[in-house]
Amino acid sequence: MSAPSQGRFPRFHGRSSAFGAATPPLPPGLDARSAAVLREIVEQYVQTGEPVGSRTLARRLPMSLSPATIRNVMADLTDSGLLFAPHTSAGRLPTDQGLRLFVDGLLNFGELTEDERESITAALGASGRSLEDTLAEASSMLSGLSAAAGLVLAPKSEGALRHIEFVPLGSGRALVVLVNSDGHVENRVIETPPGLPPSALQQASNFLNARLSGRPLAELRRVVAEEIAANRTELDALSTLVVAAGLATWTGEGRSGSLIVRGQARLLSDVTQIERLTAIQSLFERLEAQETMLRLLELAETSDGVRIFIGAESGVFTTSGVAMVVAPARSDGGRIVGAIGVIGPTRINYGRIIPVVDYTARVIGQLLG
């Protein structure tokens, strides 16, 4: 696979960030000159991270404009909140609002080549590797292609269950052993009612296993809850409490999962200010939090395709200067089975990253689905 392009955004024809329009109209409030200036400033920002001045723009713009005219356009874009001057020089950088306008209406991106698609598919579909290793490979690959941090979120399986067992531990505790149809085993410890005889644990195990019938956990919970509510069980009072406690240990099971992040160090590569370092450290802490995984799943569930978040737009992070490109991983039947994305500075190469995230999400969706 070829390395991600450096410097200017690739000028692909036929598609835009609007996902469909071949020649997207200019964003509201921008004429052709303003759009050209904003686009060139963003592309230079992606390449160098440095402010762009009117003389540089005069040399690079596709239209002939004098430096004085360009300065007037830059002043108007600054007054509109799309550009800002980081210091007293004449150069400008895009604001988060300016980047959002660029992504929504001025960004051109294209399809991956067939070789690139085959390379991604081969890297993720290698045989003899565990699912966790495959997801880690996907995260590392995204990081390498984007020069940012790659993330892969896989929710825990809600597949069919094969066996449930309660094992006494003594001192008012028991171990709940759950075996999925794929052989994956999970253990949880629960508190048991005082005076519970060992026979009650066996009774609880027998009761649940008799009702599995290849059901996923959510369906088993529903069936058991209906029987208990209707008093249609043969369980005694203590065994009923054990069953309820055992199933409760997996409450919200399908909403958690494993979040694999690779390439965090890339977020620190050009950090020079202590405030930015503190913000990035806070971002790392958020990535490790369970609430981040839940929020990423929510974003995936409400997305038909790739979504781009600038700064704090996603609600996942509160810091500015950070962008996230995320896509849902869907099974062939359309079920959400995870989320794929990239987190990096706002000067990431959106035109390159969007098709990479999109295609990787589709491959992961097939693997997990």
Side-chain angles (χ1 to χ4, degrees), residues 194-253:
L196 183 76
S199 59
L201 294 178
Q202 186 60 53
Q203 185 182 21
S205 298
N206 293 341
F207 173 81
L208 290 174
N209 285 310
R211 286 155 180 78
L212 286 182
S213 301
R215 290 187 171 104
L217 186 60
E219 184 179 349
L220 179 63
R221 282 199 209 98
R222 179 182 58 77
V223 169
V224 170
E226 289 176 354
E227 287 198 29
I228 291 176
N231 198 25
R232 296 199 306 267
T233 76
E234 67 275 17
L235 296 173
D236 58 33
L238 291 180
S239 297
T240 299
L241 291 176
V242 170
V243 166
L247 292 180
T249 61
W250 277 277
T251 298
E253 183 71 9

Side-chain angles (χ1 to χ4, degrees), residues 18-228:
F19 289 84
T23 54
L26 292 174
L30 290 186
D31 56 24
R33 292 192 306 183
S34 298
V37 169
L38 178 60
R39 174 184 288 157
E40 195 62 43
I41 288 177
V42 172
E43 293 184 348
Q44 287 298 299
Y45 169 63
V46 168
Q47 179 180 8
T48 69
E50 297 296 325
V52 184
S54 58
R55 292 187 181 277
T56 299
L57 289 170
R59 293 193 303 267
R60 300 186 63 90
L61 286 173
M63 58 186 67
S64 178
L65 297 175
S66 69
T69 299
I70 293 173
R71 284 194 293 273
N72 289 334
V73 173
M74 292 169 67
D76 291 341
L77 291 172
T78 301
D79 291 341
S80 299
L82 303 178
L83 300 178
F84 75 100
H87 40 72
T88 56
S89 74
R92 295 293 188 272
L93 289 175
T95 63
D96 284 356
Q97 182 182 348
L99 286 168
R100 167 50 59 193
L101 189 62
F102 170 83
V103 166
D104 286 345
L106 298 175
L107 172 65
N108 293 323
F109 65 92
E111 298 283 357
L112 298 178
T113 67
E114 190 61 33
D115 287 344
E116 289 171 331
R117 291 170 179 263
E118 291 178 359
S119 181
I120 292 175
T121 302
L124 301 181
S127 60
R129 210 165 41 190
S130 68
L131 176 59
E132 184 174 356
D133 288 342
T134 298
L135 297 180
E137 173 64 24
S139 183
S140 297
M141 183 188 66
L142 286 172
S143 175
L145 291 174
S146 64
L151 64 88
V152 176
L153 172 63
K156 289 187 177 178
S157 173
E158 277 283 3
L161 301 178
R162 193 168 71 192
H163 184 73
I164 294 178
E165 186 171 355
F166 294 87
V167 181
L169 296 178
S171 303
R173 298 189 306 160
L175 182 69
V176 187
V177 182
L178 182 146
V179 183
N180 287 328
S181 57
D182 60 3
H184 181 69
V185 179
E186 288 197 38
N187 302 312
R188 306 287 174 87
V189 176
I190 63 169
E191 301 292 327
T192 57
L196 183 76
S199 59
L201 294 178
Q202 186 60 53
Q203 185 182 21
S205 298
N206 293 341
F207 173 81
L208 290 174
N209 285 310
R211 286 155 180 78
L212 286 182
S213 301
R215 290 187 171 104
L217 186 60
E219 184 179 349
L220 179 63
R221 282 199 209 98
R222 179 182 58 77
V223 169
V224 170
E226 289 176 354
E227 287 198 29
I228 291 176

